[in-house]
Amino acid sequence: MDKILVIGTVAFDTIQTPFGKIEKALGGSATYASYSASFFSKPNILSIVGNDFPKEYIELLKKRQINLDGLQVSGKTFFWEGFYEFDMNEAKTKKTELNSLADFKLKMPDSYKNINYVFLANIDPELQLETLNQMKKPKFVVMDTMNFWITSKRKSLMDLIKKVDVLLLNDGEARQLFSTISLVKAAKSALSLGPKAVIIKKGEHGALLFTKDTHFSAPGYPLEEIKDPTGCGDCFGGAFIGYLAKTNDLSEANMRRAVVYGSVVASFNAEDFSLNRLKTLTMGEIERRYEEFKEIREF
Ligand code: AMP
């Protein structure tokens, strides 16, 4: 099993969905991604929180064997406020307070520099790029992003895409970034920049994996109870790279399995607010839902 480096946000989230509201709960792209990856591999977080970040959240991450040597503490924790209407596939941002992220200077622990699997989860693309530049010789790099950075740092994002193995995006972001309504065209444009694969997440409707010669479509899991989809994209990415690091097999067939594991963990995450569902999730439940995924797409 290989280790994973995860750079992203560790945050406080205030979220409103048609099914309830939570205030200043644990969130952040690195939090969800590493928690999800921890079912398969050993994540190492590179991020920053404020002095206001509770010890119990640190303990929660440590209990999952997530290494926090690269988690700096300074100022106030990054804060995001978002809401969803009945179309739960699209998060609407009410407020983003960068706080300590605004002056975050990367300090990469030496023990991180040799890690083979790197997940550049959603954060400022300049920090994603700097992380990559400080790694010795990563074997496999996956990146994610969101509309906030597509709008504010497009040029850095485009430079970064050229250097990664897999680009992860949701459907709206893919259309926005490549100025097209066709997801196939967006994927082709992304592949022409350099990545070996592009994954377009379509919320509850599943995910598409494109390589130069093939494409694969994973279904969404037909969930009856969705409470809060926040972090599903990050959980998807964390489980995807986690499974690949665990198996150390980067064939296209294995990437398809990793996409399904990504969809499985993301579907569990939507069942409750913050990390509440992940906290009780077991590997047995993940494997059972993985088998169900196989059954629902047979015809
Ligand atoms: P997801 O629902 O997977 O797209 O990600 C949700 C998480 O992203 C939340 O927990 C937020 O704290 C975090 N987040 C929101 N806005 C940003 C941003 N601009 N950069 C990085 N992380 C963000």
Side-chain angles (χ1 to χ4, degrees):
M1 180 212 292
D2 250 310
K3 289 185 198 162
I4 308 169
L5 171 93
V6 181
I7 176 164
T9 50
V10 176
F12 288 141
D13 287 348
T14 289
I15 290 154
Q16 170 117 47
T17 79
F19 311 103
K21 181 170 183 177
I22 44 158
E23 310 232 2
K24 278 189 89 178
L26 176 60
S29 57
T31 313
Y32 281 108
S34 32
Y35 206 98
S36 170
S38 73
F39 288 98
F40 306 92
S41 169
K42 295 251 176 297
N44 296 258
I45 288 187
L46 190 60
S47 190
I48 188 162
V49 288
N51 294 300
D52 51 355
F53 196 70
K55 280 214 171 58
E56 63 182 273
Y57 292 169
I58 298 277
E59 291 311 314
L60 179 74
L61 299 174
K62 281 193 176 157
K63 239 171 64 194
R64 291 294 314 172
Q65 314 282 317
I66 296 169
N67 184 4
L68 301 177
D69 290 351
L71 184 69
Q72 295 176 43
V73 183
S74 169
K76 260 177 86 181
T77 301
F78 175 89
F79 173 76
W80 179 68
E81 182 169 356
F83 68 97
Y84 300 82
E85 286 164 330
F86 272 95
D87 177 1
M88 302 272 270
N89 285 325
E90 202 198 336
K92 306 221 168 70
T93 296
K94 250 188 174 166
K95 204 186 277 172
T96 304
E97 288 175 7
L98 296 177
N99 296 331
S100 58
L101 190 65
D103 331 285
F104 180 36
K105 302 267 175 305
L106 278 193
K107 264 190 240 140
M108 167 107 63
D110 283 339
S111 60
Y112 282 22
K113 291 184 180 161
N114 284 314
I115 293 177
N116 280 331
Y117 286 79
V118 178
F119 185 25
L120 307 171
N122 182 24
I123 197 167
D124 186 332
E126 284 166 18
L127 290 168
Q128 292 175 310
L129 206 52
E130 208 185 320
T131 302
L132 199 50
N133 290 339
Q134 290 193 27
M135 300 301 291
K136 292 233 166 91
K137 210 169 166 265
K139 182 172 172 184
F140 190 69
V141 182
V142 179
M143 71 168 279
D144 192 4
T145 192
M146 76 181 278
N147 48 12
F148 184 88
W149 305 113
I150 296 176
T151 312
S152 59
K153 302 239 170 142
R154 190 186 188 92
K155 162 93 178 55
S156 309
L157 255 185
M158 286 306 209
D159 289 344
L160 180 65
I161 293 172
K162 294 177 189 150
K163 297 177 189 236
V164 303
D165 297 293
V166 176
L167 170 66
L168 270 181
L169 285 169
N170 71 28
D171 43 2
E173 292 155 0
R175 292 187 172 105
Q176 183 188 0
L177 188 58
F178 296 103
S179 310
T180 172
I181 53 153
S182 160
L183 294 179
V184 178
K185 279 191 182 152
K188 279 193 177 158
S189 301
L191 288 170
S192 74
L193 295 173
K196 295 183 193 73
V198 176
I199 297 174
I200 300 183
K201 300 166 283 180
K202 298 192 300 159
E204 63 180 320
H205 306 300
L208 303 168
L209 166 71
F210 293 91
T211 66
K212 205 168 123 288
D213 304 311
T214 63
H215 68 265
F216 169 65
S217 163
Y221 185 76
L223 265 189
E224 204 171 324
E225 291 280 340
I226 303 183
K227 275 198 187 147
D228 173 20
T230 305
C232 285
D234 310 312
C235 284
F236 179 98
F240 173 77
I241 196 167
Y243 180 73
L244 293 173
K246 175 184 173 178
T247 50
N248 218 344
D249 168 0
L250 297 173
S251 64
E252 206 248 332
N254 205 45
M255 269 203 228
R256 291 184 178 205
R257 287 179 210 114
V259 165
V260 175
Y261 276 109
S263 306
V264 167
V265 180
S267 71
F268 279 113
N269 179 58
E271 290 177 5
D272 206 344
F273 283 91
S274 186
L275 277 81
N276 292 340
R277 182 61 181 96
L278 296 183
K279 282 189 216 165
T280 61
L281 186 62
T282 64
M283 203 56 214
E285 287 176 306
I286 293 175
E287 294 297 4
R288 275 196 295 283
R289 195 168 282 183
Y290 180 86
E291 289 307 316
E292 252 187 89
F293 259 84
K294 276 193 196 157
E295 282 159 26
I296 58 177
R297 60 169 307 111
E298 227 172 283
F299 64 92

